[in-house]
Amino acid sequence: MNLLEKLESGKRLSYEDGVALWELDLFTLGKYANKKRKALYQNKAFFNINRHINPTNICKDICKFCAFSANRKNPNPYTMTHEEILKILDESITHNITEVHIVSAHNQDAGLDWYMGIFRKIKERFPALHVKALTAAEINFLATQYNMSYEQIIEMMIKSGVDSLPGGGAEIFDEKVREYICKGKVSSKQWMEIHDIWHKHGKKSNATMLFGHVEKREHRVDHMIRLRDQQDKSGGFNAFIPLVYQRGNNYLHVEDFLSSVEILKTYAISRLMLDNIPHIKAYWATSTINLALIAQEFGADDLDGTIEKESIQSAAGAKSSGGLQLQTFLDLIQTSGFAPVQRDSLYNEIKTY
Ligand code: V47
């Protein structure tokens, strides 16, 4: 069976197929990816009303791609108090957010109780708010710092009110690329192990892939296959999120920006390879909202959300720092020919516009 016949039949694609997909033109890839996306979700484009909070930027690790953590290039260290975080949410809750997304840094001075206290206090004040917090990189940091097992940290997180895990820290699983871009942080194997444990608790998580830096197309396919294998085992990934690398203000020094064709191909191939992860999120903060909307015709079905304040990608140059107003979001989705569907964090539909 050749590649096109395999795509026609919907059969599972191998690593070699995945590599060969890149040689197809964008519109052929788009045709097959869109067919899959439409069969699952018709013309729905999912989004949520959410708030991102990054409670500290003080980090013991130096990832070359990161412009968010406080370092020579960004000498602006901060650590929020619990009261400051609650105050932000007092305001955001009036915008009907259903989720708070919390990604921090690896702060050695903050203390385990500072991390867990954030979730406990949020749940005390806003019991219905979904808390999506702590990447596998942060969990690995906390386990190492406080000499605890992943299981112990995860049990504490669940007790403190964390509902799901964001997909960060995955970067690129290939060990050589990983060593070059983020030496010393959670390994690929550990990242997977942490999500495996999380899923065994019956909980959901996401998985990201940082692309468009020094990795090759083969590394992206390898990344997807590793996630697909894990999903076959534990089944807890809700969404795959390809994050377009932002070049500003960091130590990777990548000159070339990916073409839109390459970015759209990456979304389409994600949909085709990841036959067992339900949602492909075009995270507009890294792709721009314009391309994220076009990506809805190339396999993606989700746009993340209104965000309100974005600090990680905008530190590296993305134009995402102020989030998007709900009405703007809705207008853009509708004028692109899609039906905006507000979802909760577990993809239950809340409202169709
Ligand atoms: O893992 C850091 C990325 C991630 C850059 O689960 C960069 O719904 C682009 O976890 N260019 C953290 N990306 C963000 C994250 C996330 C984001 C959106 C949705 C979800 C979700 C999770 O931010 C890190 C890293 O890959 N990042 N620097 C940069 N220069």
Side-chain angles (χ1 to χ4, degrees), residues 16-249:
E16 289 74 21
D17 295 330
V19 174
L21 283 177
W22 296 95
E23 301 311 322
L24 297 178
D25 69 90
L26 175 63
F27 294 106
T28 304
L29 284 173
K31 182 179 103 176
Y32 289 107
N34 196 31
K35 194 170 144 198
K36 284 202 147 180
R37 182 247 194 257
K38 277 208 158 146
L40 290 164
Y41 309 115
Q42 304 81 44
N43 75 332
K44 295 173 183 174
F46 294 103
F47 73 98
N48 69 355
I49 305 182
N50 61 350
R51 165 83 202 202
H52 281 208
I53 302 181
N54 307 107
T56 180
N57 67 350
I58 299 175
C59 196
K60 80 171 235 322
D61 289 304
I62 299 180
C63 297
K64 286 196 179 122
F65 53 77
C66 183
F68 165 68
S69 78
N71 58 46
R72 258 187 306 128
K73 291 211 176 191
N74 176 25
N76 178 30
Y78 70 82
T79 303
M80 294 179 184
T81 63
H82 292 162
E83 288 63 40
E84 283 171 318
I85 293 167
L86 291 174
K87 204 161 158 236
I88 291 170
L89 289 175
D90 281 339
E91 166 72 19
S92 296
I93 213 81
T94 66
H95 309 149
N96 299 319
I97 59 162
T98 61
E99 171 189 288
V100 57
H101 162 120
I102 302 175
V103 171
S104 279
H106 309 161
N107 187 328
Q108 292 177 299
D109 299 321
L112 188 56
D113 201 50
W114 175 82
Y115 278 91
M116 297 298 157
I118 296 174
F119 317 130
R120 234 179 12 251
K121 290 189 181 165
I122 290 176
K123 277 291 173 179
E124 269 164 30
R125 190 173 301 186
F126 311 103
L129 191 60
H130 183 104
V131 177
K132 173 163 61 119
L134 289 184
T135 67
E138 292 167 87
I139 294 172
N140 178 63
F141 157 71
L142 291 174
T144 312
Q145 179 77 9
Y146 298 103
N147 203 16
M148 292 168 76
S149 65
Y150 295 149
E151 183 63 49
Q152 284 172 314
I153 296 286
I154 283 172
E155 274 173 19
M156 282 183 95
M157 288 165 60
I158 293 174
K159 257 204 193 131
S160 305
V162 176
D163 296 297
S164 67
L165 292 192
E171 322 312 358
I172 279 283
F173 291 137
D174 177 84
E175 279 71 14
K176 275 208 181 115
V177 177
R178 199 172 181 83
E179 164 102 2
Y180 178 70
I181 65 172
C182 55
K183 189 174 179 197
K185 95 165 175 193
V186 66
S187 72
S188 308
K189 221 171 133 234
Q190 290 165 328
W191 190 98
M192 220 56 101
E193 187 188 341
I194 289 165
H195 282 261
D196 187 65
I197 298 172
W198 185 256
H199 295 168
K200 285 200 173 110
H201 281 271
K203 303 277 185 188
K204 297 291 184 183
S205 68
N206 292 333
T208 56
M209 173 180 76
L210 183 68
F211 73 108
H213 41 89
V214 298
E215 93 293 352
K216 301 246 179 324
R217 289 166 164 180
E218 289 86 325
H219 299 131
R220 294 181 213 157
V221 177
D222 169 66
H223 192 94
M224 292 172 201
I225 297 266
R226 292 195 204 197
L227 285 172
R228 193 174 72 184
D229 289 348
Q230 179 61 44
Q231 181 76 337
D232 278 344
K233 281 188 238 151
S234 58
F237 292 117
N238 255 342
F240 178 63
I241 313 166
L243 298 171
V244 185
Y245 167 67
Q246 309 294 305
R247 290 169 299 170
N249 210 22

Side-chain angles (χ1 to χ4, degrees), residues 1-13 17 20-21 24-25 28-33 35-36 268-269 271-273:
M1 206 182 255
N2 69 27
L3 188 56
L4 286 179
E5 286 166 346
K6 243 181 166 176
L7 285 170
E8 274 302 331
S9 72
K11 255 187 105 180
R12 180 166 271 202
L13 301 166
D17 295 330
L21 283 177
L24 297 178
D25 69 90
T28 304
L29 284 173
K31 182 179 103 176
Y32 289 107
K35 194 170 144 198
K36 284 202 147 180
I269 291 174
R271 170 65 71 194
L272 294 171
M273 294 303 296

Side-chain angles (χ1 to χ4, degrees), residues 250-276:
N250 67 58
Y251 296 96
L252 256 189
H253 308 302
V254 173
E255 297 297 325
D256 298 333
F257 201 69
L258 284 187
S259 68
S260 297
V261 169
E262 186 71 12
I263 295 171
L264 290 174
K265 276 190 169 187
T266 307
Y267 287 122
I269 291 174
S270 306
R271 170 65 71 194
L272 294 171
M273 294 303 296
L274 294 170
D275 53 18
N276 56 1

